[in-house]
Amino acid sequence: MTDAPLEFFERRHVRSGTSFNYLSAGEIPFLEALLVGIFDCAAVIDLSRRYLYVNQEYVDFVGKPASEIIGKTILDVLGDALDNSYRMAIATLPTGGSIGREGWIDYGALGRRYIKQTITCYPQGSGPVAGHIILSRDLTDLKVQQLELEWRIEAQTQADTYHAVIVNNALDAIVVIDETGAVVDFNPAAVSIFGYSRDEAMGRQIGDLIIPETLRAAHDRGLSNYLQSGMTRILGRRLELEAQRATGEQIPIELTITEVRLGTKRLFAAHLRDLAAVRRAQEEIERQREALHQKDKLAALGSLLAAVAHELNNPLSIVIGQTMMLRETLAGIPMAADLVQRSAKIEIAAHRCARIVRSFLDMARQRKHERKSVLIPDIVKAALGLLSYNLKSSGVEVDIDLPKDLPVLWIDADQIHQVIVNLVVNAYQSLEEKTEGLRRIRISADHDPRAKAISLRISDNGTGIPPSIRSRIFDPYFTTKPQGTGTGIGLAVSRGLIESHGGTLDLDPSPSLGGAGFVIVLPIDDTGADPCTEDKPEAAFQAETTGRHVLIIDDEIEIANLLADMVRKLGFSASVATGGDAAKALFEGAIQPVHAILCDIRMPGGDGPSFFDWLRQNHPHLTECVGFITGDTLGPAAGRFLARSGCPVIEKPFMPDDIQRILKTLVKMDAPT
């Protein structure tokens, strides 16, 4: 504003003689008072865009005193760019009219300003336009605040959208509560884990919602203490706790809690992860690790036994073979019935030893079971018959409760027989420590048609198994027996045999006699069952054997002589060699024609494979008449050789029927004698 605006107008009027001659003397103060009283920046310019008047707001906005503005042009005061802007705007003005404009304008040194402006024509009476009145309002601060607010709103909208996407799609449950413990957010993962809908959860107390009743008091105390003292041992830590579903089921969870401050308001965001599946997976991994560990132990045990199988099976072959021949010899002698029975028992025990060795080898080879249709009562009867003397001498009574209508099982009878014998032996050995009262063993069975399984229970009335070792009794090499009386492998092997049949062997949680108890569960699977419960015997050797000669090669002279005796009983003649080198020497001499060769594989004086290769070069027609007898075919070299040769093989200990069967395969009856 000028120091004397009224005088300025008057002077301007006198000089020009045209500027305000249409205004009366009373109108000039009115105009001055009008422009001085408004809050906007006001300026009056003539047609040359020269300032005639500015108010104080305009002076403050431009930052120059009125004396440097009045009489100067817009070009002089504001510069070329703004002068051009005003010139173009005024050019569009209709006569006697006004225009308004709003936007960002660059004021040079004053910077960019957001201006709302009107430009109005100022006529000379009813004549032509003498100038223009410019009213401007600086809205820069307001516009900046508006833009900042819009930015904040947009940022908040984006944050809310981002938050919603993250929270709603999080795999973990996110539950937010306020200071009172009321739920203010409950994401979809929480809905899935805890079973409440979002509407059901919102506003409810978290303690009533997912915290088990036994933990609610501790939760309330912890929240109250933190709100009062700020001390906590929970915030920011990973915790594993129990939580409760809508159904009342308790589940393990992993939990972290974070405090969120919104001004003076405090919220607590809990991230929860359901650990039920993780725990199940960990238990399964641990179970499989333990199973693998046990299998490794059993494999090592099987390999150990396989290494000595040859040495075990040779004497077993001698015991079985000589016992059978002794029994046959005694059968025709009067008053020898008792000796025949005793030899039969020796033979049965030797067969049991052979089956045990073969079972270990079968596990090590992972060979399929020799299954057939079997009744459990028959196996139990056979096992008790084998152990009858031991049970009687130990004063043990055996109660048997086996229903007559039990279904037939499709199993390897020898292996299940071995398991039952082992469990009964363990029972009566534990009862030997019982000094008072009766010693009893109970064997019972039942059929579960729904589960398609038979359960066989064997229990005793001894002292039982202490709880401290229950988890270890199936571990290989673990035994409670004194040193020298137990190997610790019986239960481990028995469980392995039952599991290989798809069944289970476990401790009986409630043994009927109160002592130790075991329960065997075997599935009923008759998909491959043979309706016949007994194997049909091989047809007798009907062909004429007189004049047929068999060469027997074995480094164990007792085995070789036993084989020779069995062969001669079938009508053949026989020669014996104690190794491959000795057999070659026989061929160099005057040996009679050979129609079949029974040869061991592992021998120090020239083994079976090297003799077979020599035979292929020197007597190739005889390679089809060779059968191998061995105490162990587990070794990879022996297995590869047998596959390469294509020769039949039987394992020690052998039976006369085995020898008859292999000779029937080897001997060509149309060959010359």
Side-chain angles (χ1 to χ4, degrees):
M1 183 186 297
T2 62
D3 294 335
L6 183 58
E7 288 77 10
F8 171 76
F9 280 122
E10 290 174 341
R11 288 196 299 272
R12 183 69 176 167
H13 170 69
V14 170
R15 288 189 187 123
S16 65
T18 60
S19 295
F20 298 105
N21 55 5
Y22 63 93
L23 291 175
S24 65
E27 289 177 317
I28 293 176
F30 170 76
L31 179 61
E32 192 272 344
L34 178 63
L35 297 179
V36 169
I38 65 176
F39 292 100
D40 297 333
C41 298
V44 180
I45 60 174
D46 62 14
L47 296 179
S48 300
R49 297 183 299 285
R50 190 179 303 277
Y51 287 99
L52 303 179
Y53 170 81
V54 291
N55 66 353
Q56 186 61 42
E57 281 72 15
Y58 196 91
V59 169
D60 294 339
F61 175 75
V62 174
K64 294 181 180 181
S67 59
E68 295 182 11
I69 300 174
I70 301 301
K72 301 290 179 45
T73 65
I74 292 177
L75 177 63
D76 297 331
V77 176
L78 299 178
D80 183 66
L82 282 172
D83 181 60
N84 287 334
S85 174
Y86 278 102
R87 178 173 55 79
M88 288 187 292
I90 291 171
T92 63
L93 270 171
T95 302
S98 65
I99 62 171
R101 58 179 184 169
E102 181 178 344
W104 289 97
I105 300 176
D106 189 355
Y107 278 86
L110 298 177
R112 283 175 55 80
R113 311 298 294 177
Y114 193 86
I115 302 297
K116 186 174 183 180
Q117 190 176 74
T118 60
I119 304 175
T120 304
C121 293
Y122 182 48
Q124 186 175 0
S126 59
V129 175
H132 299 86
I133 299 174
I134 302 173
L135 299 179
S136 304
R137 180 174 296 177
D138 185 3
L139 300 178
T140 303
D141 294 339
L142 181 62
K143 191 64 177 178
V144 169
Q145 292 176 0
Q146 179 185 350
L147 292 175
E148 183 176 355
L149 179 59
E150 291 175 354
W151 178 84
R152 287 180 180 274
I153 292 174
E154 177 64 22
Q156 184 62 43
T157 301
Q158 293 179 356
D160 291 344
T161 303
Y162 182 74
H163 171 269
V165 171
I166 295 298
V167 171
N168 291 338
N169 291 280
L171 297 178
D172 293 339
I174 299 177
V175 181
V176 182
I177 63 172
D178 61 17
E179 294 173 279
T180 68
V183 175
V184 297
D185 201 357
F186 203 76
N187 77 335
V191 171
S192 175
I193 291 174
F194 295 107
Y196 297 99
S197 68
R198 178 179 172 82
D199 292 340
E200 289 176 321
M202 295 295 286
R204 288 185 59 180
Q205 286 292 309
I206 189 67
D208 299 334
L209 201 67
I210 66 173
I211 298 178
E213 187 174 355
T214 55
L215 301 178
R216 290 173 189 171
H219 163 76
D220 294 339
R221 286 195 303 270
L223 180 60
S224 177
N225 291 339
Y226 176 69
L227 294 175
Q228 293 177 10
S229 65
M231 302 289 291
T232 180
R233 293 179 297 175
I234 296 179
L235 291 182
R237 295 179 56 194
R238 285 183 176 269
L239 304 172
E240 290 190 8
L241 302 171
E242 293 290 318
Q244 183 172 288
R245 298 184 193 268
T247 59
E249 175 193 1
Q250 292 192 13
I251 59 172
I253 61 167
E254 185 180 33
L255 168 72
T256 60
I257 301 177
T258 305
E259 181 180 354
V260 181
R261 289 186 177 266
L262 298 178
T264 59
K265 187 177 182 180
R266 286 190 289 186
L267 300 177
F268 300 94
H271 293 251
L272 307 100
R273 179 172 299 170
D274 183 1
L275 296 181
V278 174
R279 293 279 177 85
R280 287 194 297 269
Q282 290 174 342
E283 291 172 359
E284 178 63 18
I285 291 172
E286 186 61 30
R287 188 192 67 78
Q288 292 183 2
R289 182 183 292 115
E290 180 63 21
L292 181 62
H293 179 60
Q294 299 300 339
K295 287 182 179 179
D296 287 344
K297 285 186 175 182
L298 289 176
L301 183 62
S303 298
L304 176 64
L305 185 58
V308 298
H310 184 271
E311 302 302 325
L312 288 174
N313 282 325
N314 278 338
L316 283 175
S317 297
I318 296 172
V319 171
I320 292 174
Q322 293 294 353
T323 303
M324 290 184 63
M325 297 184 71
L326 175 63
R327 181 158 49 85
E328 292 178 1
T329 301
L330 293 173
I333 300 177
M335 307 299 292
D338 182 62
L339 294 177
V340 172
Q341 291 181 359
R342 290 182 181 275
S343 64
K345 290 183 178 181
I346 294 173
E347 181 184 343
I348 292 172
H351 277 301
R352 179 192 167 203
C353 294
R355 284 195 300 268
I356 292 173
V357 173
R358 186 166 295 177
S359 296
F360 277 106
L361 293 175
D362 289 346
M363 284 192 300
R365 298 170 184 153
Q366 296 183 347
R367 192 169 66 184
K368 292 183 178 180
H369 306 297
E370 296 179 0
R371 298 184 183 238
K372 59 183 178 180
S373 298
V374 180
L375 290 170
I376 280 292
D378 293 342
I379 302 180
V380 172
K381 181 180 178 181
L384 293 178
L386 183 64
L387 300 174
S388 60
Y389 176 80
N390 304 75
L391 293 169
K392 184 177 180 180
S393 62
S394 299
V396 177
E397 295 182 2
V398 181
D399 299 333
I400 301 176
D401 182 13
L402 303 175
K404 295 181 179 180
D405 58 348
L406 288 175
V408 173
L409 293 178
W410 184 245
I411 56 176
D412 188 313
D414 288 341
Q415 292 186 354
I416 303 304
H417 176 275
Q418 178 184 336
V419 173
I420 295 174
V421 167
N422 183 66
L423 293 178
V424 174
V425 168
N426 285 348
Y428 81 67
Q429 286 180 347
S430 67
L431 289 173
E432 289 178 347
E433 301 176 3
K434 185 178 176 65
T435 58
E436 297 181 358
L438 295 176
R439 298 173 178 177
R440 296 176 59 198
I441 294 175
R442 180 178 176 82
I443 302 177
S444 61
D446 58 79
H447 172 215
D448 186 349
R450 292 186 177 180
K452 293 185 178 180
I454 289 179
S455 298
L456 181 69
R457 288 177 167 80
I458 301 176
S459 61
D460 61 62
N461 65 339
T463 57
I465 301 172
S468 59
I469 65 170
R470 285 174 176 264
S471 62
R472 301 178 58 197
I473 61 169
F474 289 102
D475 291 353
Y477 309 113
F478 176 78
T479 180
T480 58
K481 298 175 183 177
Q483 185 173 2
T485 61
T487 62
I489 63 175
L491 287 176
V493 171
S494 296
R495 172 176 270 187
L497 292 175
I498 296 298
E499 289 180 348
S500 69
H501 281 76
T504 59
L505 170 59
D506 291 297
L507 284 171
D508 192 338
S510 55
S512 59
L513 296 182
F518 293 86
V519 56
I520 300 170
V521 179
L522 288 169
I524 300 172
D525 180 11
D526 56 359
T527 55
D530 186 344
C532 298
T533 57
E534 298 292 338
D535 292 334
K536 295 182 179 179
E538 288 283 334
F541 215 172
Q542 299 294 335
E544 178 63 46
T545 59
T546 304
R548 309 290 175 176
H549 188 72
V550 179
L551 173 61
I552 298 169
I553 309 171
D554 198 302
D555 60 316
E556 288 276 351
I557 189 62
E558 292 294 336
I559 295 289
N561 289 334
L562 176 63
L563 282 169
D565 289 342
M566 290 182 176
V567 165
R568 292 186 183 108
K569 278 186 173 295
L570 294 173
F572 295 94
S573 62
S575 299
V576 172
T578 56
D581 295 339
K584 295 175 187 177
L586 287 178
F587 275 96
E588 298 295 333
I591 189 174
Q592 63 186 99
V594 174
H595 299 89
I597 300 173
L598 299 179
C599 182
D600 195 3
I601 293 181
R602 292 169 54 186
M603 296 176 291
D607 61 15
S610 62
F611 173 74
F612 184 81
D613 292 338
W614 176 85
L615 203 65
R616 177 176 289 168
Q617 292 181 0
N618 296 275
H619 304 279
H621 66 285
L622 288 178
T623 56
E624 297 181 359
C625 301
V626 179
F628 287 96
I629 300 176
T630 180
D632 174 31
T633 58
L634 183 66
R640 287 193 297 269
F641 165 71
L642 291 173
R644 172 173 60 86
S645 68
C647 296
V649 61
I650 58 175
E651 295 185 37
K652 301 174 184 176
F654 46 79
M655 303 287 289
D657 288 346
D658 299 327
I659 303 303
Q660 176 178 303
R661 187 165 49 251
I662 195 171
L663 287 177
K664 185 177 180 181
T665 302
L666 297 176
V667 175
K668 295 179 174 57
M669 292 305 172
D670 57 351
T673 58

